[in-house]
Each structure stands twice: as C-alpha cells, then as structure tokens.
C-alpha cells in the first residue's frame, strides 16, 4: 500500500513527511496555484530534497497536444530530476504521449481518470500509475468503487506493471473505500490525514489510558 501527499506546500511536507508512512508527493497546476506565483522548478527541487529519492515525485504537464506533452515531460525531467513521474491527463493526445514516453523508458502517471475506458487504455499503454479522481467521479454519480475494482481486476488479470493511485479525496472515508476497492495507492492532502487523526475519540482514549495509570500508580510514566 502506498500513501502519497497531494500538495506542494513545503511547510506541510517538512512537518508531516517524517511523521507519516508516505511514499511520495503528487502535484498538479491547481495544487501549485495554492502556493502562489512560486519559482516552479526550484520549488519542485525543494520538494525532492524534503522527500528524498526513495519516494516518488509526480509533476503534471501543461500542454494539450501530444508533442507539447512530450516536451513538457522532458522539461520536468531535465529541470527537476530524472526520477520525476510526469503526470499526463488521459486524453487521446495524452495517451499518444504516454506511449512515446514509455518507449523512451520514462515512468508515467496517467491522471484525470473518470472512467473504466480511460483506465484500461492507460493500462494498455503501459503506464506506471493511473489516477482515478474519486470525489470528482462521485460528484457526477460515477460508480467509483466499481470503476476502481474493475481496473484493479484488469491489472491483476493481465499482470500489468501498473498501480492505481486514487486521488481527489474530500474525506477520509473515500480514501478507505478506494483502498477497499483495490487501489494500490492513495494521494491526499496532508490536512485530510491530520484531521482524521485529530478526532476527539482518539485523543480521549489516550487521555483515559494515562489517567487510569495515574490513578493506580500515581505517575504518568512507566517504571
Ligand atoms: O491529484 C489529483 C487531485 O489533486 C484532484 O483533486 O481536489 O482537485 O478534485 P481535486
């Protein structure tokens, strides 16, 4: 199982990467926008410094046409580092670019997936990750769990070297449902994870354990 952070916020990454079992970081232009008009490539290189090379870094292309997407992917690899996974929207032009980049031996993440059709085309193209947009799919009444489970079945059946990295989560239940349905990886905002762990039920349980020990032994530490 892989957990990734869907953010480009350096403070959140510095604080939370050491605390959580994180496998990588994903970004897209809308996530970058939240950081303001940053110096993009140095910012991405700083994210790499924070997460190291043992974690994966996924950065999105901007062009719509196949050659433009291929050029963007090379820009990301040249300007950030050669271990970056270019994230490519799963359009006709995107699929053609993914095919070319895979021929070149480049790791690719297929993004913007709302349907089984986009998913199986990306799997057949040989991408490394595919990113179904859980909340966005659910908002337009697409069967998120069924889509992920079908795609996971295709990956198993054809022994495809591809992982489903579900994205676009608005609550932690969606994350669990994606994993239950067969997603191999999930990418989410660090704040979503932190909010889930900040439930009063969890903190109350810890308080009660310590209070009970103190009532018994008159101390709050183990002997
Ligand atoms: O990684 C893709 C994801 O960031 C899309 O999320 O919140 O814009 O639906 P959202």
């Amino acid at each position: 199982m892989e957990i990734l952070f869907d953010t480009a916020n350096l403070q959140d990454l510095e604080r939370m990467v050491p605390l959580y079992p994180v496998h990588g970081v994903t970004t897209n232009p809308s996530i970058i926008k939240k950081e303001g008009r940053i110096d993009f490539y140095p910012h991405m290189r700083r994210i790499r410094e924070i997460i190291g090379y043992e974690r994966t870094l996924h950065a999105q292309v901007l062009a719509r046409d196949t050659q433009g997407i291929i050029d963007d992917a090379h820009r990301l690899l040249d300007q950030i580092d050669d271990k970056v996974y270019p994230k490519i929207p799963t359009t006709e032009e995107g699929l053609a670019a993914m095919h070319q980049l895979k021929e070149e031996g480049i790791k690719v993440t297929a993004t913007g997936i709302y349907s089984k059709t986009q998913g199986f085309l990306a799997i057949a193209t040989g991408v490394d990750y595919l990113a179904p947009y859980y909340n966005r799919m659910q908002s337009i009444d697409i069967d998120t769990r069924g889509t992920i489970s079908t795609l996971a079945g295709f990956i198993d059946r054809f022994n495809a070297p591809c992982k489903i990295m579900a994205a676009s989560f608005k609550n932690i239940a969606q994350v669990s449902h994606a994993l239950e349905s067969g997603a191999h990886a999930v990418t989410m905002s660090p704040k979503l994870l932190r909010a889930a762990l900040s439930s009063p039920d969890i903190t109350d349980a810890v308080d009660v354990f310590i209070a009970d020990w103190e009532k018994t032994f008159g101390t709050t530490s183990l002997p």
Side-chain angles (χ1 to χ4, degrees), residues 12 53 57 64 90 95 101 103 109 112-113 116-117 132 166-167 200 220:
D12 281 352
Y53 283 95
L57 178 57
R64 289 171 190 270
T90 311
L95 284 161
L101 291 164
E103 294 272 295
T109 298
I113 290 184
K116 292 176 191 169
T117 310
T220 55

Side-chain angles (χ1 to χ4, degrees), residues 55-77:
R55 297 185 176 91
T56 59
L57 178 57
H58 308 250
Q60 195 156 322
V61 300
L62 204 56
R64 289 171 190 270
D65 64 293
T66 300
Q67 190 54 52
I69 292 170
I70 293 169
D71 292 344
D72 275 359
H74 284 293
R75 254 180 222 116
L76 295 169
L77 290 158

Side-chain angles (χ1 to χ4, degrees), residues 6 28 31 87 133 136 167-168 170 187:
D6 205 18
N28 65 32
I31 287 171
K87 265 177 86 185
Y133 277 4
R136 294 193 199 191
S168 174
K170 291 292 168 270
T187 185

Side-chain angles (χ1 to χ4, degrees), residues 11-211:
Q11 278 132 1
D12 281 352
L13 289 171
E14 277 161 358
R15 192 171 58 235
M16 294 183 68
V17 167
L19 300 178
Y20 287 85
V22 185
H23 278 75
V25 167
T26 51
T27 66
N28 65 32
S30 306
I31 287 171
I32 297 293
K33 179 181 168 223
K34 291 183 190 158
E35 304 311 307
R37 203 160 167 173
I38 50 163
D39 205 352
F40 176 63
Y41 292 118
H43 191 97
M44 294 304 289
R45 290 196 291 268
R46 177 67 195 127
I47 292 178
R48 173 63 84 194
E49 274 173 21
I50 296 168
I51 68 173
Y53 283 95
E54 71 281 7
R55 297 185 176 91
T56 59
L57 178 57
H58 308 250
Q60 195 156 322
V61 300
L62 204 56
R64 289 171 190 270
D65 64 293
T66 300
Q67 190 54 52
I69 292 170
I70 293 169
D71 292 344
D72 275 359
H74 284 293
R75 254 180 222 116
L76 295 169
L77 290 158
D78 291 345
Q79 298 288 328
I80 305 171
D81 61 62
D82 62 3
K83 297 286 183 284
V84 164
Y85 285 63
K87 265 177 86 185
I88 301 176
T90 311
T91 58
E92 244 177 22
E93 297 80 4
L95 284 161
M98 290 175 206
H99 177 71
Q100 171 65 35
L101 291 164
K102 286 313 299 170
E103 294 272 295
E104 295 176 34
I106 291 167
K107 303 276 192 195
V108 169
T109 298
T111 194
I113 290 184
Y114 290 76
S115 69
K116 292 176 191 169
T117 310
Q118 285 174 294
F120 72 64
L121 286 168
I123 294 167
T125 305
V127 303
D128 301 276
Y129 285 93
L130 57 94
Y133 277 4
Y134 202 97
N135 187 68
R136 294 193 199 191
M137 289 163 73
Q138 211 167 50
S139 306
I140 50 174
D141 203 15
I142 294 172
D143 176 11
T144 45
R145 296 199 203 199
T147 303
I148 291 174
S149 147
T150 299
L151 293 174
F154 290 161
I155 289 171
D156 276 353
R157 211 167 110 211
F158 299 106
N159 206 16
C162 177
K163 291 179 187 168
I164 298 174
M165 177 170 64
S168 174
F169 293 112
K170 291 292 168 270
N171 64 64
I172 207 71
Q174 293 175 330
V175 177
S176 301
H177 293 157
L179 289 166
E180 284 165 18
S181 309
H184 310 90
V186 283
T187 185
M188 74 201 84
S189 121
K191 288 186 175 68
L192 198 61
L193 267 188
R194 166 159 283 181
L197 279 189
S198 309
S199 145
D201 290 330
I202 300 173
T203 46
D204 285 358
V206 175
D207 290 346
V208 168
F209 288 139
I210 294 171

